[in-house]
Each structure stands twice: as structure tokens, then as C-alpha cells.
Amino acid sequence: MRKRVIVRYHLGMRTTAIAILLALALPACRPGPVDQDAPAPPGSPATAGADREAVSAEMSGEKPRRVVGFGPGEIELDHEAEFTGTASCDFCHADIVELAGSHHMALTGRRVTGQNRDVWFSGEAIDRPIEWPRTEGPPPRFRRDDTGVLLEAIDGDGAVRSARVDVIFGSGHRGFTPISVADGHGIRELRASFFADPGRWVMTPGSAGDPDPLGHVRSAESSSDCLRCHMTVIEWTEGGRLDLERSVFGVSCERCHGPGSAHERAVLEDEASPAIFNPGLLSPAAQTRFCGQCHRNPSTVEPHRVFLQTPDLARHAGVGLMLSACFRKSPPESAPSCLDCHDPHRNIRGVRREQNDSCLRCHADPGADHTSTAVALDADCISCHMPVEKRGFFGLSFTSHWIRVPGAPPPGETEERAEYAGLLEESYRAAIAPPGRGPERHGPERRSKLRMRLGKLLCMQGDPAEGLRWLREALTFEPLYKDRLLAAQYHLRAGETALAIDILDDAIRAAPENNRAYHDLARIHLAAGEPSRASEVLDRWEAARPGDPYLTEMRALVERARSAESAR
């Protein structure tokens, strides 16, 4: 019998593992580590799954690396463990590792080098045209050099600026967005993304109006939030830049199962406890919330999107499922979960008949439940009650996981509005003050977002006093620019004009390069019959953004108002 024996040497707090293979040869079918830098055939997904190139921290004797999602304030394990890498998992779970390596989650974050760049940036690919609004100035272009790929753009002064493409976010199944590493623990989401269907470059969603032609550098908190759903290990250099060598890209085994060193030791020493986290053993409700870390949960969405059931919600599967009556009204132990339809190690391919089984747990007689449509017992539930949505995100297709009656009006137009409002309020408040988890651990940006959502919800539900109080509290943290503008609008509608003006002044001081706060503030002064004060705002606007075409339009409005005032 062929055996593999792992001999361990304990060196202080570090552990070194040396794998000694006692056999004539390994089976020929045994998959070896995949070189992440090796280019895949043009047009096919990269075959370098997740962290295959990473060597176990224990094996190399290097400083232990922390797995995203596990540790203080997150999932706290009942055992001490360190990151080991997929290579360790491969010893016992080779079939699963091989299968999971091609999963879209494993490919959702990958490093770009001079060796593998053709996977995304072949000569033919970068020559494709880019769909770019004329109002955004000249479109950027990709350029290849000896070491990789750069995005080049022309700034407002006519100078050519560039940023290196360091990482790709997105498996390529629907598309991908290039990322550039920045100082200050930040990343830059570059402004040109690729959509696989129909195969075109587009302006990166959410980047319209960005004053930086390459895409602005995200804050450290925002960068971390973005990275954690595309990586298994996030490491930073002493200089505050993402460490491309020590970080582990893509969602690999330990991003869901936690650091594996204790499990490896338990197996070797035949311990009773497997010492590994298994999301599949959670209750269906808890398991869905676990996946919602990245596939979203209701606390991460704006209340008006839920009331209107906007098509873009289909992009967030976790939100849709948790909003469904099937989930909300079922006991936690029998609620529908992601695992009812999805194998986390294998990409889903089409609707399978067994996916109806979770529906039949409660709807044992579909024919009796359908009064207006004849339905057979073996009918396909998914296609009608979880339709594919193409309207919400630039024409890309997403299966809506919000299980509802086809053609039903959105919740905001039904008696269910109060029920959904209560669900959202509970979700926002629980995220602000997690029950049983001590003080709030979010960074200042997320603290602001959660309070903004709660404040907006309360205003929408007819409690403006409490809602405005939460909005003002949100502004004490680090609000997004757009949230400052919204807070000003809510205060203006409530008759709090002076506070709205103060909020917009703060927005201008925080981001003088953005033009919307100038516009809104000048409009308030015009509405109040104060064209001179509006003109002062435009002077500040011109000093910060000379030549802005929207400024010219506002100048004309102000001049007409001043002329009318003089005529009186």
C-alpha cells in the first residue's frame, strides 16, 4: 500500500511540515499545483484556481497569514489555527480541490503578470472598442509592456496618466474589472471593465462622474471590504501596499472552512475533533447568512430598492433569498438555503429537477397552490418563481433569488410594505449593534452607511424626526459623498434648510473636486431668492473645477435670476 507520511517539526510558535512521499510514484491522475502565471487558452477561463501557487505558511516557515473572515469580531473558532494553503487540502481532498479550482468563486480574484496577461489582455482583446459616454471625456486605453498591462487615460490638463493592472476581480463568467494597487492600504478600481456578453469593454459600473480619469483610490476600509470577497488571505507590505506575493487571491478552501493547520494536525494525530469549520453543518438560515458575507444580506441594500423591488437586486442572491417569504416565514432549521441548489465546489449549470425538492418540503401539492395556472407535480418551480433578470445591471443576466409570485407588485405597493420595513429596520439595527457580540466593530464608513440606511427608512416610514437624527449621526463618521447629498435633500424636504446648507458646505470641503454639492447648494440659494449667494457658490465651483460644462449652465440660471431681481 502506498502511503504518504507527514513528519512535523515544531519550532517555537511556527510549525514546519515536511511531506515525505513513500511510494514508487504518485498516481498519474493526481493533480499537481497549478501555475497561476501560466496563460490559459484565449477565450477560456484561467485555469489557475485560487491559491494553488501559494505554499503553505507552515511549510515555508514564514510568518503566519490570517484567513479572511475568521478571527476576533468575525467567525471565532474554538481552536487555534493558521493558514496552510490549498496544497495541504489536496493531500486528502484532491477531487474536491480539482473541482473547486475551476469554480467561479476560486477565479474571482487573480493576479496579473507578464506571463498570464493574455488571459484577459491579449492583443485582440485590448483592441476592442470601449463603450464610453461623451460626457466623461476621452476613453482610457490598455497598453501592454514587458511586465504586464497598464491603463492609460488623459486627465483634465491633457496629460497622459497611467496605472498598472495588478489584479483582476471577477471570474470572467460575466466579466471582470481590473484593479491597481495603491498606497495607504488602498486599491484603485480602474474605470474600464469587460463584459463577457457580448464581449465588450465598458465604463466600470459606479465610476461615472469620477474626477480621476483612471478611477479614484478607495479608502483603506472600502478597499478591505472589496478585497475580502475576492481573496482568501490579504497581506500588506510595511509600506501599506497590497502584498501581491504573500496575498492569496480567489476564494479557496480556507476562505469558507477557516484556517486549516489544526485540521491537518487533527487528521495526522487521529484526534476526535476534525478542528475545521464546516458551513454545511450550520442551520439553513445561518448558512444563508454565512454566504451573505459576500452575496449580500438585507442590511447592505438601500430601503427604496426593496420597496420598489428594483431589478438590480437580482445581482445579490443572498438579499433576494433572505427577503423571500419562504425564508422569512420558515423555522431556521427548515428554511431554504443556498445549498439546496448550489454545490459550493461546483459551478451550477442550468435548472435541475432536484432543485424543486426544497420547494416541495412545504408545497407538497403544487397544483392546489396554483389557482390561476395548471401546474404538475414535476413542474419547474425555478423558472417562474426565480426568473432570470436582465434589466438591472447593464444587460447582464442574473437569476433573481427573491422567490415571489410572478407579476406580483413590488412590496412598497402592497400591504407587505410594513412587514418589509420591519425586516429592514431589524436588519440595520442588528448590524449597528450586533446582538451578543459586544460593541460595534465596523469601520467609520460602514457605520455611516448603516445609519444612513436606517435614517432613510425611518423618514420613508413617516418618522422624519427620528430618521433625521440617524442621518445626522451618520454624518459624524465618514459618509460617502453621495450620502452627504442625500442627507441634505432629506433635511431640505423636512424644512431644515439651514442644516441642509451646512451639510452641503461640508460636502464641498470634503470633496471640492466633485461638482454636485455646488450645484445643489446654488439651487437652494436660488430657490430662496438669493442669487448673490448662489453666485458666490459658483465662484468656489469655478476655482475648484474650471471649465466644468455644468458650471456654465448654472451661471446662466443665476444670471437670469439676478436680472429678474434687478428688474423688480
Side-chain angles (χ1 to χ4, degrees):
M1 179 182 294
R2 294 171 178 169
K3 297 181 180 179
R4 278 169 290 173
V5 180
I6 299 182
V7 182
R8 289 179 165 278
Y9 298 88
H10 297 274
L11 303 176
M13 295 184 65
R14 297 182 182 179
T15 304
T16 301
I18 302 176
I20 305 174
L21 302 178
L22 300 180
L24 294 176
L26 287 174
C29 64
R30 174 61 114 199
V34 177
D35 179 6
Q36 193 170 16
D37 289 337
S44 69
T47 57
D51 66 337
R52 296 289 193 90
E53 69 174 12
V55 178
S56 162
E58 289 190 325
M59 288 180 134
S60 65
E62 64 187 17
K63 178 183 176 182
R65 289 176 281 180
R66 179 175 175 270
V67 175
V68 174
F70 293 84
E74 300 187 275
I75 297 174
E76 298 188 24
L77 303 175
D78 59 3
H79 55 268
E80 295 291 329
E82 300 169 1
F83 171 77
T84 61
T86 296
S88 295
C89 306
D90 185 64
F91 281 117
C92 298
H93 307 285
D95 53 342
I96 295 177
V97 169
E98 182 178 25
L99 190 65
S102 61
H103 196 288
H104 297 150
M105 292 191 297
L107 303 176
T108 194
R110 284 167 287 174
R111 182 183 175 187
V112 178
T113 68
Q115 288 72 45
N116 71 357
R117 65 184 179 184
D118 281 353
V119 173
W120 309 277
F121 302 99
S122 65
E124 183 272 334
I126 64 175
D127 284 341
R128 294 185 184 185
I130 180 170
E131 294 182 7
W132 195 262
R134 293 181 179 178
T135 55
E136 296 290 332
R141 294 293 179 191
F142 290 102
R143 178 173 65 82
R144 292 152 52 103
D145 65 9
D146 293 340
T147 58
V149 181
L150 299 107
L151 182 68
E152 295 182 333
I154 300 173
D155 64 18
D157 297 326
V160 176
R161 295 176 50 203
S162 65
R164 183 162 297 282
V165 178
D166 296 304
V167 180
I168 289 295
F169 280 176
S171 67
H173 173 61
R174 291 187 177 89
F176 60 83
T177 295
I179 303 296
S180 185
V181 172
D183 293 330
H185 295 84
I187 59 172
R188 186 195 301 269
E189 191 177 52
L190 298 177
R191 293 188 75 196
S193 293
F194 187 80
F195 284 177
D197 183 13
R200 68 189 191 278
W201 295 101
V202 299
M203 177 185 290
T204 297
S207 70
D210 194 326
D212 190 320
L214 294 168
H216 69 279
V217 175
R218 290 174 174 263
S219 68
E221 181 184 343
S222 176
S223 296
S224 177
D225 286 345
C226 201
L227 291 168
R228 61 187 290 111
C229 288
H230 295 269
M231 300 179 68
T232 297
V233 172
I234 302 171
E235 289 283 313
W236 303 93
T237 66
E238 291 184 2
R241 292 176 68 86
L242 185 67
D243 191 328
L244 298 174
E245 298 294 334
R246 283 176 49 80
S247 294
V248 179
F249 297 94
V251 174
S252 63
C253 309
E254 289 164 284
R255 178 61 181 90
C256 294
H257 291 285
S261 64
H263 176 61
E264 190 177 291
R265 182 168 55 252
V267 172
L268 290 168
E269 298 175 5
D270 199 24
E271 296 178 359
S273 171
I276 195 72
F277 181 76
N278 187 350
L281 298 180
L282 298 172
S283 71
Q287 183 269 313
T288 300
R289 294 188 181 95
F290 173 82
C291 295
Q293 292 178 85
C294 292
H295 297 282
R296 302 292 190 93
N297 62 69
S299 71
T300 66
V301 297
E302 302 299 323
H304 72 278
R305 297 190 185 281
V306 174
F307 292 141
L308 296 175
Q309 196 180 0
T310 55
D312 62 300
L313 285 179
R315 185 167 166 245
H316 306 309
V319 174
L321 186 55
M322 283 185 260
L323 289 175
S324 301
C326 300
F327 183 89
R328 293 184 288 109
K329 298 181 179 181
S330 296
E333 64 276 4
S334 63
S337 79
C338 310
L339 295 183
D340 285 342
C341 296
H342 294 272
D343 180 341
H345 305 114
R346 184 195 306 268
N347 292 322
I348 194 167
R349 299 192 183 281
V351 176
R352 302 188 308 275
R353 191 65 62 191
E354 58 267 25
Q355 290 173 355
N356 284 351
D357 291 347
S358 59
C359 305
L360 296 174
R361 288 202 299 261
C362 295
H363 303 280
D365 185 1
D369 290 336
H370 291 75
T371 57
S372 59
T373 305
V375 175
L377 181 62
D378 61 349
D380 169 23
C381 308
I382 305 297
S383 297
C384 283
H385 296 281
M386 296 175 62
V388 173
E389 178 61 76
K390 296 183 178 181
R391 297 171 297 159
F393 197 72
F394 301 88
L396 298 182
S397 298
F398 293 90
T399 296
S400 173
H401 286 64
W402 192 343
I403 306 168
R404 302 196 77 215
V405 175
E413 300 176 10
T414 70
E415 295 178 353
E416 293 181 307
R417 180 186 175 105
E419 183 178 351
Y420 278 98
L423 182 151
L424 289 172
E425 182 175 351
E426 180 182 0
S427 181
Y428 297 148
R429 290 185 184 275
I432 291 170
R437 292 181 59 183
E440 186 177 7
R441 295 177 180 268
H442 302 306
E445 291 181 18
R446 183 170 292 189
R447 291 186 183 200
S448 180
K449 289 178 184 177
L450 288 168
R451 286 159 174 78
M452 280 293 302
R453 290 175 190 136
L454 178 56
K456 286 184 283 188
L457 173 66
L458 293 171
C459 287
M460 294 167 70
Q461 290 300 102
D463 190 357
E466 183 68 1
L468 294 180
R469 185 185 73 78
W470 278 104
L471 293 181
R472 288 193 292 273
E473 185 171 326
L475 296 175
T476 65
F477 295 99
E478 293 184 10
L480 297 176
Y481 182 78
K482 66 178 182 178
D483 283 343
R484 293 179 189 269
L485 304 181
L486 280 170
Q489 290 299 318
Y490 274 102
H491 280 81
L492 191 62
R493 291 174 200 162
E496 301 279 3
T497 304
L499 282 173
I501 289 173
D502 289 343
I503 292 169
L504 290 172
D505 271 328
D506 286 341
I508 290 171
R509 282 190 288 271
E513 70 280 4
N514 290 334
N515 61 13
R516 182 61 187 270
Y518 299 107
H519 173 276
D520 291 356
L521 186 53
R523 284 279 191 181
I524 290 176
H525 290 313
L526 283 177
E530 301 173 331
S532 295
R533 293 189 67 183
S535 184
E536 292 172 4
V537 173
L538 300 190
D539 290 341
R540 295 161 63 191
W541 184 350
E542 185 167 20
R545 290 179 60 104
D548 189 331
Y550 296 105
L551 172 60
T552 304
E553 295 177 13
M554 282 301 298
R555 283 278 187 205
L557 283 176
V558 171
E559 289 306 315
R560 283 199 293 271
R562 296 185 81 160
S563 297
E565 184 181 54
S566 299
R568 289 197 295 269

